Amino acid sequence: MIIRLLARRPVALGIGLVVALALPWLIYPPVAMDIMAWALFAVAVDLLLGYGGLLSFGHAAFWGTSAYTTGLIALHTGLPFPVAIVGGALAAAVLAVPIGYLAVRLSGIYFAMVTLAFAQMIYFLVNQWRDVTGGENGLQGVPREFFGMDLSDPFFFYYAGLPFVLFGLWAAWRIVRSPFGQVLVSIRDNPSRARALGYPVDRYRLLAFVLSAALAGLAGGVFAISHGFASLHDVYWTTSGQAVMMVILGGIGTLWGAVLGAALIVTLNDYLATAGFEETGIVTGVIFVLIVMLFRKGIWGTARDLLASRPKGDEPAAEPAAKAPAEPTEAVAKRS
Amino acid sequence: MIEQAFNGLVGGAFYALLALGLAVIFGMLGVVNFAHGAFYMLGAFGAFILLDSFGIGFWAALVIVPVLLGLAGVVLERLLIRRLSGLDPLYGFLLTFGLALILQDLVRRQYGVQSQQYARPELLDGTLNLGLFDYPAYQVFVLALSAVVCGGVWLALTRTKIGMIVRASTEKPELTRALGIDVSRWVTPVFGFGIALAGLAGVLAAPMRAINPLMGGDLIIVVFAVVVIGGLGSVFGSVAAGFLIGVVSALGNLYVPALSQTLVFILMAAVLLWRPAGLFGRQEGLV
């Protein structure tokens, strides 16, 4: 049984890695980079939602802050782009400390609203601080400087950006499978009991929030360098909503699902944009409604349940660490 | 400065009407209605369409639009929202987020992003002398009407039997049910009523503000901050915070213009530090 488990995970990871490496051959390279950046963003949101039971509806604040910080570093210092991206991720993590400190005192729907409101505050700040951020024009012409190497071809840049995304995905995977991740899950399932056992619940949640923000920032930085600009859209609430949608489309609490959700949504948006359909909200909104009404476990969650329910000898029910239920939290479900 | 404060009260009237609707819907259904801003936007467009296509003026729109939107809310509750009862409130939030995207972009597809104009009703076109300064009559009307509506809802909640049932089932649904009261009967009308309030705010906004598909999306986030400040479970807190935030941001606009739009969120952060459940909320929903 254990051997089979070990045998399965490397296979899945191997397939994922091959797909990631082959992606710019299969589709338009800038879209491939978008998929990878959004996948990391969605995984960052799922780290909080699926494993911490906290729905952040304000992660655009971290994605966007990093996009702007990365852009500013690359524009004004001439440092190589990896430094800019790391700087952006750090800025996102630093911003997450005060926001997280206030937000993790709340849970459930309150947490979602408060993170949303803080993200909107960042949006207004970015919009008004025109001298630095360019206001409505955004940051234009962010360079891809790497010691004079020519990375202007999106095909080559994909392979330059990919290591950041893979590192971020690996970090998320390590976090949810670490003892820290297990405590996080136990806090999600029963905060009062976790507190009674002596875990400092708020501190765990805050650390998860900051880690998640750093990963979202890493993704935002890659995105900004890939596109060569940062815009107000990066800090707007629809961007947060998009990331959440990717997570629930793929399946809450399944990191693979978040990646899959990101791939589907980015491809769909790209298709709609090429077809000249501007009102993407109609389509994404319908998807949102459909998955909430009919498909709450998401694609990956549903597939996993189907596999698990099939009686197949000594097949384990599911990977133990990925046994996250589709319902984010029990504790916040009932208000009184 | 007094005039600015008065501007703030008028702005706060919109927050209060929207926050009131959000609060009663949340209280009764446990749903934070992200689509509330979209219904406000539909209210403004409803008034615009009635005048533009049917020649129906402001006063009639003031009644027709909220009624129609309220009915739409009833249908929405019956068709979709009802099916999420008993689940984590996050699902209601996500569902209404999707609805907001759909409504916003449907209107955008029809009318584009340019703002539409709506003339003030003739009766309210002048200014009123308020003793210290002259003030547009229409703004005074908006303030008075929303004060009357909020006061009326308050009285209905505290003085009538229906209000008692609504409050009881908001606070202790199981206990109310155990007393033999059919709580679910009141859920649909309360949702429709909350949506109608958002529609009313939209009609009131039409002659004052630029009518465009995005007008609700930006406002609703501020209203979320308002209800967090007031206390999400508290109807009174939502209304009071609505007017309060209106005044604070108008005065903030006067003294620190750079911060005008972020002030409400800074205030929210401060309130959260001091009282995580909001000014008038009880310590619920905190784990």
Side-chain angles (χ1 to χ4, degrees):
Chain A
M1 196 171 105
I2 292 164
I3 294 167
R4 188 173 292 183
L5 239 176
L6 284 173
R8 279 173 54 194
R9 189 171 289 161
V11 170
L13 286 175
I15 293 172
L17 193 61
V18 169
V19 171
L21 287 170
L23 208 54
W25 264 289
L26 305 171
I27 55 178
Y28 189 49
V31 178
M33 193 78 264
D34 279 7
I35 289 178
M36 295 313 290
W38 278 97
L40 179 53
F41 189 18
V43 163
V45 171
D46 196 24
L47 178 62
L48 268 184
L49 175 59
Y51 299 85
L54 297 168
L55 171 64
S56 167
F57 225 83
H59 256 45
F62 309 117
W63 161 275
T65 295
S66 170
Y68 274 94
T69 309
T70 302
L72 286 169
I73 294 174
L75 262 175
H76 297 304
T77 65
L79 287 167
F81 78 88
V83 180
I85 290 176
V86 170
L90 280 177
V94 169
L95 176 68
V97 173
I99 293 182
Y101 178 76
L102 285 167
V104 297
R105 305 156 145 237
L106 307 161
S107 62
I109 203 69
Y110 297 82
F111 182 84
M113 288 169 65
V114 167
T115 47
L116 177 61
F118 279 121
Q120 199 63 3
M121 178 165 149
I122 302 298
Y123 170 79
F124 284 132
L125 280 175
V126 170
N127 192 5
Q128 291 197 327
W129 202 3
R130 268 166 239 280
D131 304 341
V132 176
T133 61
E136 273 164 27
N137 298 323
L139 284 183
Q140 312 263 355
V142 173
R144 269 179 212 163
E145 171 55 38
F146 192 71
F147 302 115
M149 252 167 82
D150 182 27
L151 289 169
S152 55
D153 185 341
F155 184 83
F156 291 121
F157 179 71
Y158 178 86
Y159 291 102
L162 189 63
F164 293 96
V165 175
L166 292 181
F167 169 76
L169 294 175
W170 175 80
W173 188 81
R174 280 303 306 152
I175 290 166
V176 300
R177 275 159 186 79
S178 66
F180 169 77
Q182 295 301 309
V183 175
L184 207 57
V185 168
S186 79
I187 291 173
R188 176 197 69 193
D189 291 341
N190 195 334
S192 316
R193 185 180 296 166
R195 190 170 281 131
L197 286 172
Y199 290 114
V201 167
D202 283 1
R203 218 181 301 160
Y204 270 90
R205 282 180 167 162
L206 177 59
L207 182 55
F209 192 80
V210 173
L211 287 171
S212 167
L215 293 179
L218 195 62
V222 171
F223 189 81
I225 296 281
S226 162
H227 283 254
F229 64 82
S231 76
L232 275 180
H233 190 253
D234 291 332
V235 275
Y236 199 52
W237 55 266
T238 47
T239 298
S240 307
Q242 183 108 301
V244 172
M245 175 160 73
M246 289 165 177
V247 172
I248 57 171
L249 175 62
I252 294 168
T254 65
L255 296 183
W256 281 108
V259 174
L260 190 64
L264 288 173
I265 298 291
V266 171
T267 317
L268 176 72
N269 281 345
D270 178 56
Y271 171 76
L272 288 174
T274 336
F277 189 84
E278 276 179 42
E279 290 80 12
T280 50
I282 299 174
V283 179
T284 49
V286 168
I287 297 177
F288 233 111
V289 171
L290 287 178
I291 45 184
V292 172
M293 295 308 297
L294 308 168
F295 208 47
R296 254 163 247 135
K297 286 182 177 169
I299 296 170
W300 199 266
T302 307
R304 204 182 49 197
D305 283 7
L306 283 178
L307 283 177
S309 66
R310 194 178 298 166
K312 211 187 200 181
D314 62 346
E315 180 79 14
E319 294 177 29
K323 215 166 51 185
E327 318 294 326
T329 58
E330 278 290 313
V332 296
K334 296 273 170 274
R335 260 184 7 98
S336 47
Chain B
M1 198 197 108
I2 296 172
E3 199 173 341
Q4 268 301 323
F6 210 74
N7 285 340
L9 279 179
V10 175
F14 291 101
Y15 297 151
L17 280 176
L18 288 169
L20 174 61
L22 267 182
V24 294
I25 288 176
F26 179 75
M28 201 71 182
L29 289 83
V31 169
V32 173
N33 182 20
F34 207 110
H36 218 65
F39 281 103
Y40 161 81
M41 179 269 294
L42 286 182
F45 267 94
F48 169 75
I49 293 166
L50 281 182
L51 187 67
D52 198 51
S53 312
F54 303 99
I56 297 171
F58 177 78
W59 299 104
L62 209 50
V63 178
I64 297 173
V65 172
V67 169
L68 286 181
L69 286 178
L71 289 175
V74 166
V75 173
L76 179 65
E77 201 279 330
R78 287 270 156 184
L79 279 183
L80 298 178
I81 301 209
R82 168 147 302 204
R83 284 157 213 259
L84 295 178
S85 69
L87 290 177
D88 193 303
L90 295 176
Y91 286 111
F93 186 71
L94 296 172
L95 172 74
T96 50
F97 174 77
L99 288 174
L101 286 180
I102 297 170
L103 293 173
Q104 183 172 304
D105 271 13
L106 278 177
V107 174
R108 186 156 73 118
R109 196 160 174 74
Q110 194 64 34
Y111 294 94
V113 285
Q114 284 91 358
S115 295
Q116 313 287 342
Q117 299 298 322
Y118 190 90
R120 281 182 203 172
E122 270 174 44
L123 185 64
L124 298 171
D125 208 12
T127 57
L128 274 182
N129 190 329
L130 292 182
L132 295 162
F133 49 87
D134 287 339
Y135 207 74
Y138 183 76
Q139 264 83 332
V140 178
F141 168 73
V142 167
L143 187 55
L145 184 65
S146 74
V148 167
V149 169
C150 293
V153 172
W154 176 247
L155 281 180
L157 280 176
T158 49
R159 299 269 187 275
T160 66
K161 195 167 174 229
I162 298 174
M164 267 162 60
I165 294 173
V166 169
R167 274 189 303 147
S169 45
T170 298
E171 291 179 13
K172 294 265 187 294
E174 273 88 38
L175 192 59
T176 315
R177 222 168 266 134
L179 290 170
I181 293 162
D182 186 1
V183 172
S184 63
R185 233 176 71 199
W186 298 100
V187 164
T188 312
V190 164
F191 189 79
F193 177 73
I195 300 294
L197 281 181
L200 177 71
V203 178
L204 287 175
M208 272 178 70
R209 301 196 170 163
I211 307 172
N212 65 57
L214 301 175
M215 64 190 285
D218 290 338
L219 187 66
I220 189 65
I221 317 274
V222 180
V223 174
F224 280 171
V226 166
V227 294
V228 168
I229 291 169
L232 183 50
S234 162
V235 171
F236 174 75
S238 306
V239 173
F243 284 108
L244 179 75
I245 298 308
V247 174
V248 168
S249 43
L251 293 181
N253 202 8
L254 192 65
Y255 294 112
V256 269
L259 283 180
S260 65
Q261 284 172 305
T262 46
L263 199 61
V264 53
F265 302 113
I266 295 171
L267 208 64
M268 183 189 74
V271 168
L272 279 178
L273 264 177
W274 176 48
R275 280 184 71 100
L279 293 178
F280 299 94
R282 278 159 297 129
Q283 305 284 319
E284 264 185 299
L286 302 173
V287 181

